[in-house]
Amino acid sequence: MKVKINGKIAELDASLSLLELLEVKGIKPGQAVIQYNGDIIDRDSWTDIVLKENDELEILRFVGGG
Amino acid sequence: MGFYDVYKAYQETGIGGWLKNTTPERVGAAVGKSRVSEWDFLAMLSPAAEQKLEEMAQQAHRVTVRNFGRVIYLYTPLYLSNYCSNQCVYCGFNVQNRVQRRTLSVDEVEKEGQIIAETGLRHLLILTGESRVEAPVDYIAACTERLRRYFASISIEIYPLEVDEYKTLISAGVDGLTIYQEVYDPVTYDQVHLKGPKKNYLFRLNAPERACQAGMRTVNLGVLLGLEDWRTEVFALGLHARYLQDKYPETEISVSFPRIRPAAGRFRPRAEVSDRNMVQMITALRLFLPRAGITISTRERAEFRDNLIKLGVTRMSAGSCTEVGGRLDGNGHDGQFDISDTRSVKEMKEAIRKQGYQPVFKDWVAM
Amino acid sequence: MDVLRIGGKEITSRLFLGTGKFSSDSLLPGVIRASGVQVVTVALRRVDFDNPQEYMLNYIDRECILMPNTSGARTADEAVRIARIARAAGCGNWVKIEVIKDNKYLLPDNYETLKATETLAKEGFAVFPYMSPDLMAARQMRDAGAAAVMPLGSPIGSNRGLKTKELIRILIDEIDIPIIVDAGIGRPSEAAEAMEMGAAAVLVNTAIAVAEDPVAMAEAFGLAVRAGRKAFLAGPGAVKEYAEASSPLTGFLRDTEQ
């Protein structure tokens, strides 16, 4: 299954929830914000949303900035 | 929040005690500041500031020249009507006074306008008493439309209006409003305005703000000196001007310092205001509001007016006449007050030039 | 106690810290401690899965107020989107609006910034627009509900100091919400000068981040901001413009009074 994560196509073997995806990628849930197909998704819903073909994800977090 | 709340808030801080306790050193510190605060302004109005008067005058002169150059704008009043339903104890048009009442026809207004225009003046101030029956808004609008052919700028000094009425007059060609609160102290205000619509203190107080809201280009405020302690009154005047400047930056705010002159009814000033006091208030106001226009009318003596030119004044009346139709037949109807500086426009021009200033007849053109 | 009430919070440190451009985020705890800052700006970026890094916020004292910026936004809409995402990250409702289309000088677009300010203030954000110091625009930002305005002292990262001083002074005189000088401050003395003028706070990033010793420089900025603030509150004496006496202007009064 192909999904787009942060502008890059990624191949996923199984259907993962958003939370499971973060775990796979090694990102602590408290450190990220997810925009899923253009919508900002509440943390509470990260277990409910399961990725499907052609989904687009932006996974963002804070960095240093002025 | 309107200006009254601002005024009240300052009153509650005990202005009188502050004025008394100000030292000349405190005044000296205020004079040189690039941004003069409300409290600096109050310090400059204190009795202690009299010792720093020359310093204030020098600074006021520099600030005025820097902001306005060496020019004095000239205007003249044209009285349309002296019908009035008010009883203001100090005014010649008081309804109780037995003066001849008259409202000029629009044709007469035009004729008097032509006479004024021949002297070269292009800024006109038209005045009425407070009578919505004898001098209604429509009539003032009609006069304005007729006078526009001869003048670059027409200001009104009439009874306070509603926002929509100001808009009506603006579309007729009015670009300036002069309205004096006369006295900011509400108790004294009530005592000197015995009867008539002018008893409504707040409606008058908020008139300048309504004119700003209507889109008036210039608004000119004033206190009638001699009704109340001038220090607290001029402080209120400065606060009012600053309030409007801050809230309506697109309107040009200016102030006047009319000192009570003898008029029919022979009212005696309730509070003395000396020439020295006048100089103090004008220079203090200039330092507090560097960009505000300051007007001195022909109520003041010629020689005194000449000396004020360098101290912060930017506008003067010339060739004035406070009688309705006075320039048409000149048969001595009773004026609103007695004129002190009776020089002609030509003489005024010369006097201003002699001080090293340029007399300006036309500041800008309304398109 | 000299407290700055801003964006629904009360703070005592008037130095805000930008956290970009540090050689390592691990410097931040020392910098924050040495300067005493209570507000830090942060940016929002895509997670880079190829270069795993320690999460930057782990270096930021939990007591600090985070002010995410909208850097990268070229329009009001983009800034609004970034602000909403930042809020979803759960770090409060402060946001610094930064809309920059000009890649040469990195000067902000006041018009787009105003539009974003209007939208975000209505959504309950405490909005801090970064702007060119223009009085009309600042009035509009205030009217749109900005918590403060942040005029630039000179272009971002230029370290050129308070080149826009006269314009900032006008904002301080005329705008009745806090004025925070952001961008261009290169030295502690310039930060002190902004504070002496009456700025509510200053935001410093590059000057600290690129110093030889960022921690020591952070401390220097902290002291300078406190000194400048204290001087402002103390009310400096008047600067006399002219020393020489001119011919008297009030002499005529004596003649008439006799």
Side-chain angles (χ1 to χ4, degrees), chain A residues 6 35 58-59 61 63 65-66, chain C residues 19 41 43 45-47 69 85:
Chain A
N6 287 358
Q35 200 177 332
E58 292 284 344
I59 302 175
R61 68 176 180 181
V63 299
Chain C
T19 57
T41 60
R45 290 284 180 277
R46 282 171 167 173
V47 176
N69 67 29
I85 295 171

Side-chain angles (χ1 to χ4, degrees), chain B residues 54 58-59 62 66 276, chain C residues 241-242 247-250 257:
Chain B
E54 178 63 26
Q58 294 289 349
Q59 182 74 355
R62 282 191 289 268
R66 195 161 66 212
R276 187 170 283 274
Chain C
E241 285 181 81
Y242 296 81
S247 59
L249 289 168
T250 55
E257 281 162 6

